[in-house]
Tab-separated table of all heavy atoms in Angstrom:
chain	number	residue	atom	x	y	z
A	1	ASP	N	0.840	-1.199	0.000
A	1	ASP	CA	0.000	0.000	0.000
A	1	ASP	C	0.879	1.254	0.000
A	1	ASP	O	1.135	1.866	1.027
A	1	ASP	CB	-0.927	-0.013	1.219
A	1	ASP	CG	-2.026	1.041	1.108
A	1	ASP	OD1	-1.950	1.880	0.190
A	1	ASP	OD2	-2.950	1.022	1.946
A	2	TYR	N	1.370	1.627	-1.183
A	2	TYR	CA	2.172	2.831	-1.328
A	2	TYR	C	1.328	4.063	-1.002
A	2	TYR	O	1.810	5.030	-0.419
A	2	TYR	CB	2.679	2.974	-2.763
A	2	TYR	CG	3.732	1.998	-3.220
A	2	TYR	CD1	3.498	0.633	-3.266
A	2	TYR	CD2	4.966	2.454	-3.665
A	2	TYR	CE1	4.465	-0.252	-3.725
A	2	TYR	CE2	5.942	1.583	-4.126
A	2	TYR	CZ	5.681	0.228	-4.158
A	2	TYR	OH	6.638	-0.642	-4.610
A	3	ARG	N	0.062	4.009	-1.412
A	3	ARG	CA	-0.786	5.201	-1.323
A	3	ARG	C	-1.006	5.645	0.119
A	3	ARG	O	-0.857	6.826	0.447
A	3	ARG	CB	-2.131	4.937	-1.998
A	3	ARG	CG	-3.044	6.161	-2.068
A	3	ARG	CD	-4.389	5.797	-2.687
A	3	ARG	NE	-4.220	5.215	-4.018
A	3	ARG	CZ	-5.190	4.595	-4.681
A	3	ARG	NH1	-6.376	4.439	-4.114
A	3	ARG	NH2	-4.980	4.125	-5.882
A	4	SER	N	-1.336	4.669	0.994
A	4	SER	CA	-1.589	5.037	2.392
A	4	SER	C	-0.333	5.589	3.051
A	4	SER	O	-0.395	6.531	3.843
A	4	SER	CB	-2.093	3.822	3.178
A	4	SER	OG	-3.346	3.415	2.701
A	5	LEU	N	0.804	5.003	2.725
A	5	LEU	CA	2.051	5.509	3.301
A	5	LEU	C	2.364	6.895	2.762
A	5	LEU	O	2.831	7.775	3.499
A	5	LEU	CB	3.198	4.543	2.978
A	5	LEU	CG	4.532	4.818	3.663
A	5	LEU	CD1	4.388	4.886	5.180
A	5	LEU	CD2	5.566	3.754	3.285
A	6	ALA	N	2.076	7.128	1.498
A	6	ALA	CA	2.314	8.453	0.918
A	6	ALA	C	1.410	9.501	1.559
A	6	ALA	O	1.806	10.657	1.732
A	6	ALA	CB	2.082	8.408	-0.589
A	7	ASP	N	0.186	9.098	1.946
A	7	ASP	CA	-0.755	10.045	2.551
A	7	ASP	C	-0.268	10.583	3.896
A	7	ASP	O	-0.567	11.723	4.265
A	7	ASP	CB	-2.127	9.386	2.729
A	7	ASP	CG	-2.833	9.155	1.400
A	7	ASP	OD1	-2.422	9.789	0.400
A	7	ASP	OD2	-3.766	8.345	1.356
A	8	ILE	N	0.470	9.736	4.640
A	8	ILE	CA	0.942	10.191	5.954
A	8	ILE	C	2.402	10.625	5.915
A	8	ILE	O	2.957	11.046	6.928
A	8	ILE	CB	0.778	9.068	7.012
A	8	ILE	CG1	1.619	7.838	6.643
A	8	ILE	CG2	-0.676	8.689	7.184
A	8	ILE	CD1	1.649	6.781	7.728
A	9	HIS	N	3.014	10.533	4.756
A	9	HIS	CA	4.418	10.888	4.605
A	9	HIS	C	4.541	12.384	4.350
A	9	HIS	O	3.689	12.986	3.696
A	9	HIS	CB	5.026	10.093	3.439
A	9	HIS	CG	6.477	9.766	3.600
A	9	HIS	ND1	7.460	10.607	3.175
A	9	HIS	CD2	7.095	8.694	4.151
A	9	HIS	CE1	8.636	10.049	3.448
A	9	HIS	NE2	8.431	8.887	4.038
A	10	ASP	N	5.643	12.975	4.840
A	10	ASP	CA	5.854	14.404	4.629
A	10	ASP	C	6.033	14.733	3.153
A	10	ASP	O	5.646	15.806	2.690
A	10	ASP	CB	7.087	14.871	5.413
A	10	ASP	CG	6.817	14.913	6.911
A	10	ASP	OD1	5.659	14.679	7.295
A	10	ASP	OD2	7.756	15.171	7.694
A	11	GLU	N	6.639	13.821	2.425
A	11	GLU	CA	6.849	14.030	0.988
A	11	GLU	C	6.943	12.655	0.325
A	11	GLU	O	7.017	11.636	0.996
A	11	GLU	CB	8.126	14.825	0.750
A	11	GLU	CG	9.355	14.234	1.428
A	11	GLU	CD	10.541	15.161	1.352
A	11	GLU	OE1	11.004	15.396	0.215
A	11	GLU	OE2	10.996	15.643	2.391
A	12	LEU	N	6.925	12.630	-0.987
A	12	LEU	CA	7.045	11.360	-1.688
A	12	LEU	C	8.407	10.732	-1.399
A	12	LEU	O	9.393	11.434	-1.189
A	12	LEU	CB	6.845	11.573	-3.178
A	12	LEU	CG	5.402	11.954	-3.568
A	12	LEU	CD1	5.345	12.386	-5.018
A	12	LEU	CD2	4.459	10.797	-3.325
A	13	PHE	N	8.442	9.421	-1.396
A	13	PHE	CA	9.607	8.710	-0.884
A	13	PHE	C	10.153	7.740	-1.933
A	13	PHE	O	9.475	7.357	-2.881
A	13	PHE	CB	9.228	7.924	0.375
A	13	PHE	CG	8.029	7.034	0.184
A	13	PHE	CD1	8.166	5.748	-0.327
A	13	PHE	CD2	6.741	7.497	0.486
A	13	PHE	CE1	7.062	4.940	-0.524
A	13	PHE	CE2	5.635	6.686	0.282
A	13	PHE	CZ	5.794	5.404	-0.226
A	14	TYR	N	11.395	7.335	-1.696
A	14	TYR	CA	12.007	6.261	-2.459
A	14	TYR	C	11.890	4.966	-1.654
A	14	TYR	O	11.957	4.986	-0.425
A	14	TYR	CB	13.485	6.564	-2.735
A	14	TYR	CG	13.685	7.673	-3.738
A	14	TYR	CD1	13.675	9.014	-3.347
A	14	TYR	CD2	13.887	7.391	-5.087
A	14	TYR	CE1	13.865	10.037	-4.267
A	14	TYR	CE2	14.072	8.406	-6.017
A	14	TYR	CZ	14.053	9.723	-5.595
A	14	TYR	OH	14.227	10.730	-6.520
A	15	VAL	N	11.715	3.845	-2.363
A	15	VAL	CA	11.519	2.581	-1.672
A	15	VAL	C	12.297	1.480	-2.394
A	15	VAL	O	12.469	1.528	-3.618
A	15	VAL	CB	10.018	2.220	-1.598
A	15	VAL	CG1	9.434	2.016	-2.991
A	15	VAL	CG2	9.773	1.007	-0.721
A	16	SER	N	12.776	0.511	-1.631
A	16	SER	CA	13.695	-0.509	-2.154
A	16	SER	C	12.968	-1.659	-2.838
A	16	SER	O	13.258	-2.832	-2.589
A	16	SER	CB	14.559	-1.057	-1.011
A	16	SER	OG	13.729	-1.606	0.009
A	17	GLN	N	12.043	-1.344	-3.726
A	17	GLN	CA	11.339	-2.395	-4.464
A	17	GLN	C	10.586	-1.790	-5.635
A	17	GLN	O	10.419	-0.561	-5.718
A	17	GLN	CB	10.363	-3.136	-3.556
A	17	GLN	CG	9.203	-2.284	-3.051
A	17	GLN	CD	8.297	-3.053	-2.112
A	17	GLN	OE1	8.687	-3.408	-1.018
A	17	GLN	NE2	7.086	-3.316	-2.560
A	18	PHE	N	10.128	-2.655	-6.531
A	18	PHE	CA	9.321	-2.246	-7.673
A	18	PHE	C	7.964	-2.938	-7.599
A	18	PHE	O	7.868	-4.087	-7.138
A	18	PHE	CB	10.010	-2.623	-8.990
A	18	PHE	CG	11.037	-1.634	-9.448
A	18	PHE	CD1	12.279	-1.577	-8.829
A	18	PHE	CD2	10.763	-0.740	-10.465
A	18	PHE	CE1	13.235	-0.669	-9.226
A	18	PHE	CE2	11.710	0.191	-10.887
A	18	PHE	CZ	12.954	0.228	-10.270
A	19	PRO	N	6.907	-2.271	-8.039
A	19	PRO	CA	5.602	-2.944	-8.087
A	19	PRO	C	5.668	-4.181	-8.981
A	19	PRO	O	6.357	-4.196	-10.012
A	19	PRO	CB	4.675	-1.871	-8.699
A	19	PRO	CG	5.368	-0.567	-8.463
A	19	PRO	CD	6.834	-0.872	-8.504
A	20	SER	N	4.974	-5.227	-8.551
A	20	SER	CA	4.862	-6.478	-9.318
A	20	SER	C	6.210	-7.142	-9.595
A	20	SER	O	6.342	-7.896	-10.567
A	20	SER	CB	4.117	-6.250	-10.647
A	20	SER	OG	2.772	-5.936	-10.411
A	21	GLU	N	7.193	-6.883	-8.737
A	21	GLU	CA	8.491	-7.527	-8.955
A	21	GLU	C	8.439	-9.023	-8.626
A	21	GLU	O	9.424	-9.748	-8.825
A	21	GLU	CB	9.584	-6.844	-8.128
A	21	GLU	CG	9.387	-6.942	-6.633
A	21	GLU	CD	10.375	-6.080	-5.845
A	21	GLU	OE1	11.241	-5.437	-6.460
A	21	GLU	OE2	10.268	-6.053	-4.601
A	22	GLN	N	7.285	-9.501	-8.168
A	22	GLN	CA	7.151	-10.946	-7.943
A	22	GLN	C	7.347	-11.734	-9.233
A	22	GLN	O	7.639	-12.928	-9.194
A	22	GLN	CB	5.797	-11.295	-7.326
A	22	GLN	CG	4.602	-11.095	-8.223
A	22	GLN	CD	3.971	-9.731	-8.038
A	22	GLN	OE1	4.551	-8.866	-7.394
A	22	GLN	NE2	2.772	-9.541	-8.573
A	23	VAL	N	7.198	-11.078	-10.400
A	23	VAL	CA	7.428	-11.795	-11.653
A	23	VAL	C	8.890	-12.213	-11.792
A	23	VAL	O	9.212	-13.099	-12.596
A	23	VAL	CB	6.999	-10.958	-12.883
A	23	VAL	CG1	5.510	-10.654	-12.826
A	23	VAL	CG2	7.824	-9.686	-13.010
A	24	LEU	N	9.764	-11.595	-11.010
A	24	LEU	CA	11.171	-11.969	-11.001
A	24	LEU	C	11.520	-12.894	-9.846
A	24	LEU	O	12.301	-13.833	-10.000
A	24	LEU	CB	12.061	-10.719	-10.918
A	24	LEU	CG	12.135	-9.834	-12.155
A	24	LEU	CD1	12.826	-8.517	-11.820
A	24	LEU	CD2	12.898	-10.546	-13.266
A	25	ILE	N	10.949	-12.631	-8.677
A	25	ILE	CA	11.430	-13.305	-7.475
A	25	ILE	C	10.634	-14.569	-7.126
A	25	ILE	O	11.074	-15.333	-6.268
A	25	ILE	CB	11.454	-12.340	-6.275
A	25	ILE	CG1	10.066	-11.784	-5.972
A	25	ILE	CG2	12.424	-11.213	-6.526
A	25	ILE	CD1	10.037	-10.811	-4.796
A	26	ASN	N	9.480	-14.796	-7.765
A	26	ASN	CA	8.774	-16.067	-7.614
A	26	ASN	C	9.218	-16.998	-8.732
A	26	ASN	O	9.157	-16.648	-9.914
A	26	ASN	CB	7.255	-15.861	-7.665
A	26	ASN	CG	6.721	-15.305	-6.358
A	26	ASN	OD1	7.457	-14.704	-5.578
A	26	ASN	ND2	5.450	-15.490	-6.123
A	27	LYS	N	9.629	-18.198	-8.379
A	27	LYS	CA	10.295	-19.072	-9.349
A	27	LYS	C	9.379	-19.484	-10.493
A	27	LYS	O	9.849	-19.684	-11.619
A	27	LYS	CB	10.852	-20.290	-8.624
A	27	LYS	CG	11.927	-19.930	-7.592
A	27	LYS	CD	12.401	-21.141	-6.830
A	27	LYS	CE	13.380	-20.759	-5.731
A	27	LYS	NZ	12.767	-19.966	-4.652
A	28	ASP	N	8.090	-19.649	-10.223
A	28	ASP	CA	7.190	-20.020	-11.313
A	28	ASP	C	7.019	-18.875	-12.306
A	28	ASP	O	7.017	-19.075	-13.518
A	28	ASP	CB	5.831	-20.470	-10.755
A	28	ASP	CG	5.146	-19.390	-9.933
A	28	ASP	OD1	5.840	-18.632	-9.225
A	28	ASP	OD2	3.899	-19.297	-9.985
A	29	LEU	N	6.904	-17.654	-11.773
A	29	LEU	CA	6.713	-16.498	-12.647
A	29	LEU	C	8.002	-16.143	-13.383
A	29	LEU	O	7.964	-15.694	-14.537
A	29	LEU	CB	6.221	-15.298	-11.833
A	29	LEU	CG	4.906	-15.498	-11.072
A	29	LEU	CD1	4.471	-14.199	-10.413
A	29	LEU	CD2	3.804	-16.024	-11.990
A	30	LEU	N	9.140	-16.332	-12.729
A	30	LEU	CA	10.425	-16.067	-13.392
A	30	LEU	C	10.559	-16.907	-14.649
A	30	LEU	O	11.015	-16.415	-15.689
A	30	LEU	CB	11.580	-16.348	-12.428
A	30	LEU	CG	12.982	-16.226	-13.022
A	30	LEU	CD1	13.276	-14.787	-13.426
A	30	LEU	CD2	14.042	-16.724	-12.040
A	31	ALA	N	10.169	-18.169	-14.568
A	31	ALA	CA	10.266	-19.042	-15.754
A	31	ALA	C	9.371	-18.525	-16.874
A	31	ALA	O	9.770	-18.527	-18.050
A	31	ALA	CB	9.889	-20.470	-15.377
A	32	ILE	N	8.173	-18.075	-16.517
A	32	ILE	CA	7.256	-17.528	-17.526
A	32	ILE	C	7.873	-16.302	-18.186
A	32	ILE	O	7.861	-16.155	-19.417
A	32	ILE	CB	5.900	-17.173	-16.876
A	32	ILE	CG1	5.206	-18.439	-16.373
A	32	ILE	CG2	5.015	-16.417	-17.862
A	32	ILE	CD1	4.015	-18.169	-15.483
A	33	VAL	N	8.424	-15.412	-17.364
A	33	VAL	CA	9.058	-14.195	-17.869
A	33	VAL	C	10.214	-14.536	-18.804
A	33	VAL	O	10.344	-13.985	-19.905
A	33	VAL	CB	9.551	-13.326	-16.686
A	33	VAL	CG1	10.600	-12.319	-17.144
A	33	VAL	CG2	8.381	-12.605	-16.038
A	34	CYS	N	11.063	-15.461	-18.371
A	34	CYS	CA	12.249	-15.785	-19.162
A	34	CYS	C	11.901	-16.425	-20.501
A	34	CYS	O	12.615	-16.221	-21.499
A	34	CYS	CB	13.169	-16.698	-18.357
A	34	CYS	SG	13.958	-15.885	-16.943
A	35	ARG	N	10.810	-17.186	-20.547
A	35	ARG	CA	10.422	-17.813	-21.816
A	35	ARG	C	10.056	-16.782	-22.872
A	35	ARG	O	10.037	-17.090	-24.073
A	35	ARG	CB	9.269	-18.803	-21.593
A	35	ARG	CG	9.719	-20.102	-20.934
A	35	ARG	CD	8.702	-21.212	-21.120
A	35	ARG	NE	7.460	-20.972	-20.407
A	35	ARG	CZ	7.195	-21.410	-19.172
A	35	ARG	NH1	8.112	-22.099	-18.494
A	35	ARG	NH2	6.033	-21.168	-18.609
A	36	ARG	N	9.756	-15.552	-22.446
A	36	ARG	CA	9.475	-14.494	-23.418
A	36	ARG	C	10.704	-14.158	-24.255
A	36	ARG	O	10.589	-13.532	-25.320
A	36	ARG	CB	8.987	-13.233	-22.699
A	36	ARG	CG	7.665	-13.410	-21.985
A	36	ARG	CD	7.337	-12.220	-21.101
A	36	ARG	NE	6.135	-12.457	-20.301
A	36	ARG	CZ	5.776	-11.726	-19.241
A	36	ARG	NH1	6.528	-10.707	-18.863
A	36	ARG	NH2	4.681	-12.022	-18.570
A	37	SER	N	11.890	-14.551	-23.785
A	37	SER	CA	13.125	-14.284	-24.528
A	37	SER	C	13.382	-15.312	-25.608
A	37	SER	O	14.337	-15.171	-26.377
A	37	SER	CB	14.316	-14.262	-23.564
A	37	SER	OG	14.209	-13.202	-22.645
A	38	CYS	N	12.565	-16.346	-25.654
A	38	CYS	CA	12.780	-17.427	-26.622
A	38	CYS	C	12.220	-17.019	-27.976
A	38	CYS	O	11.035	-16.698	-28.097
A	38	CYS	CB	12.115	-18.703	-26.130
A	38	CYS	SG	12.516	-20.136	-27.136
A	39	GLU	N	13.056	-17.050	-28.994
A	39	GLU	CA	12.633	-16.604	-30.320
A	39	GLU	C	11.827	-17.661	-31.060
A	39	GLU	O	10.938	-17.347	-31.839
A	39	GLU	CB	13.862	-16.204	-31.143
A	39	GLU	CG	14.596	-15.002	-30.548
A	39	GLU	CD	15.836	-14.647	-31.339
A	39	GLU	OE1	16.144	-15.367	-32.313
A	39	GLU	OE2	16.495	-13.654	-30.987
A	40	ASP	N	12.145	-18.918	-30.834
A	40	ASP	CA	11.458	-19.993	-31.573
A	40	ASP	C	11.162	-21.134	-30.610
A	40	ASP	O	11.879	-22.134	-30.566
A	40	ASP	CB	12.330	-20.476	-32.740
A	40	ASP	CG	11.562	-21.440	-33.649
A	40	ASP	OD1	10.368	-21.677	-33.382
A	40	ASP	OD2	12.162	-21.939	-34.610
A	41	LEU	N	10.116	-20.969	-29.823
A	41	LEU	CA	9.785	-21.945	-28.785
A	41	LEU	C	9.429	-23.298	-29.387
A	41	LEU	O	9.793	-24.339	-28.856
A	41	LEU	CB	8.622	-21.419	-27.932
A	41	LEU	CG	8.219	-22.245	-26.724
A	41	LEU	CD1	9.380	-22.403	-25.766
A	41	LEU	CD2	7.025	-21.619	-26.018
A	42	ASP	N	8.737	-23.315	-30.528
A	42	ASP	CA	8.273	-24.578	-31.107
A	42	ASP	C	9.428	-25.499	-31.469
A	42	ASP	O	9.375	-26.712	-31.231
A	42	ASP	CB	7.417	-24.318	-32.345
A	42	ASP	CG	6.069	-23.707	-31.977
A	42	ASP	OD1	5.657	-23.891	-30.819
A	42	ASP	OD2	5.458	-23.061	-32.825
A	43	SER	N	10.501	-24.932	-32.059
A	43	SER	CA	11.610	-25.794	-32.480
A	43	SER	C	12.277	-26.442	-31.278
A	43	SER	O	12.696	-27.597	-31.335
A	43	SER	CB	12.637	-24.983	-33.282
A	43	SER	OG	13.237	-23.995	-32.447
A	44	ASN	N	12.378	-25.717	-30.186
A	44	ASN	CA	12.995	-26.288	-28.991
A	44	ASN	C	12.097	-27.341	-28.348
A	44	ASN	O	12.568	-28.319	-27.784
A	44	ASN	CB	13.321	-25.184	-27.984
A	44	ASN	CG	14.526	-24.370	-28.404
A	44	ASN	OD1	14.445	-23.570	-29.320
A	44	ASN	ND2	15.651	-24.590	-27.753
């Protein structure tokens, strides 16, 4: 909840994460993401 924290914060802040970064750090989603780099999935 970035929004609620921003509402009580004196100013906008920097934070050590990116929204939806679970696509990288969850192993099932990482595999899905990486397969997007495959140019010819059928041949493999």
Side-chain angles (χ1 to χ4, degrees):
D1 193 350
Y2 290 62
R3 185 183 303 168
S4 294
L5 188 55
D7 290 343
I8 62 172
H9 211 271
D10 288 355
E11 53 189 295
L12 291 170
F13 52 86
Y14 289 85
V15 63
S16 58
Q17 66 182 68
F18 277 76
S20 292
E21 63 188 358
Q22 69 267 12
V23 298
L24 289 169
I25 60 180
N26 283 22
K27 297 176 185 67
D28 59 324
L29 301 185
L30 175 66
I32 295 168
V33 161
C34 291
R35 285 198 293 267
R36 295 170 186 165
S37 296
C38 188
E39 296 178 357
D40 189 2
L41 185 59
D42 289 338
S43 65
N44 285 74

